[in-house]
Amino acid sequence: MRLFLDTANIERIRQGVRWGVVSGVTTNPTLVAQEGRKDYQLVVKEICSIVDGPVSAEVVVEGVDDMISQARSIAAWHPNVVVKIPATPDGLEVTSRLSREGIRVNMTLCFSANQALLAALAGAAFVSPFVGRLDDIGQDGMALVKSIMDTYKEYDFDTEVIAASIRHPMHCVAAAQAGADIATIPFNVLEQMIKHPMTDAGNARFLADWHRVDGQNK
């Protein structure tokens, strides 16, 4: 399973790439605004200069023609850009037309196996089931990821599954166990994945012991 960062924070993206574990980014205008940035296109291009992998950028208009026009513009920003299209009837038509043009689509806001099946049939390169939001309303988000993966494997679809709306490290483990191709996560979850108190305590003890030994040698 690959890891993407769900953020528009440039320094956090740089950090994830330095760690060698981040291979893509998902973002949207809301995340850009949270960073105090106003030029969405500029931020996406900057992200693309850092990450050598898919960078999802979202269409924010309605209506098939307007969505297609904006999607084409967004896709032209950088070869790594993937256009996020919502899982709606218009979104299906847009996805189908864009995929025939060679524009990669991440069908987002997916909350059912039916939506994921239609996304694959329409030619989406990625589909993003929102795990955390389903958990919030008492449904099992990871069960949806597993259901989608089982369906895609049965029919050998090329569409990759991005487990989205990840809330904590155990979501990442569950996504991997469900067979998700990708999990897109906030930076704080990435930090939590590597942290463990016993690792910290053990490392501190090893270093303290080394300083005692090293001091005796001097």
Side-chain angles (χ1 to χ4, degrees):
M1 185 181 74
R2 309 197 304 281
L3 291 179
F4 290 0
L5 279 182
D6 190 36
T7 185
N9 185 294
I10 298 300
E11 184 49 44
R12 288 178 172 179
I13 293 168
R14 291 187 192 279
Q15 182 65 71
V17 170
R18 286 197 298 267
W19 286 348
V21 296
V22 170
S23 57
V25 170
T26 56
T27 191
N28 57 53
T30 299
L31 292 173
V32 171
Q34 287 174 359
E35 299 303 322
R37 303 284 296 271
K38 295 182 179 180
D39 193 327
Y40 185 41
Q41 179 177 348
L42 184 62
V43 173
V44 171
K45 287 182 175 180
E46 189 172 357
I47 293 171
C48 289
S49 74
I50 301 167
V51 181
D52 187 20
V55 176
S56 289
E58 193 156 356
V59 161
V60 290
V61 295
E62 294 183 315
V64 170
D65 291 338
D66 287 342
M67 291 169 74
I68 288 175
S69 178
Q70 188 177 75
R72 287 170 178 157
S73 296
I74 291 172
W77 291 349
H78 192 279
N80 287 355
V81 168
V82 177
V83 183
K84 291 170 75 173
I85 302 292
T88 63
D90 281 354
L92 276 179
E93 182 175 345
V94 170
T95 298
S96 178
R97 290 172 59 178
L98 292 176
S99 66
R100 290 198 297 269
E101 296 177 17
I103 295 174
R104 293 181 298 170
V105 169
N106 173 3
M107 182 158 277
T108 188
L109 292 171
C110 174
F111 293 99
S112 75
N114 279 323
Q115 289 177 322
L117 175 60
L118 293 172
L121 291 172
F126 304 91
V127 66
S128 293
F130 275 42
V131 173
R133 294 194 193 184
L134 282 173
D135 288 356
D136 289 345
I137 62 170
Q139 297 185 23
D140 188 341
M142 283 304 164
L144 172 60
V145 173
K146 181 65 166 58
S147 176
I148 294 170
M149 293 305 305
D150 289 345
T151 302
Y152 281 11
K153 287 178 181 177
E154 182 70 24
Y155 294 100
D156 200 26
F157 286 125
D158 293 328
T159 305
E160 292 191 278
V161 177
I162 304 176
S165 187
I166 296 290
R167 302 289 174 78
H168 49 73
M170 289 309 298
H171 266 161
C172 293
V173 173
Q177 292 173 340
D181 300 291
I182 300 153
T184 185
I185 62 177
F187 186 77
N188 70 299
V189 172
L190 180 61
E191 289 182 307
Q192 291 166 5
M193 289 174 70
I194 191 61
K195 295 288 286 184
H196 195 286
M198 295 187 71
T199 301
D200 294 341
N203 192 48
R205 179 175 178 179
F206 290 151
L207 290 173
D209 289 344
W210 165 249
H211 289 313
R212 283 196 293 270
V213 172
D214 190 44
Q216 292 172 0
N217 291 337
K218 293 178 180 178

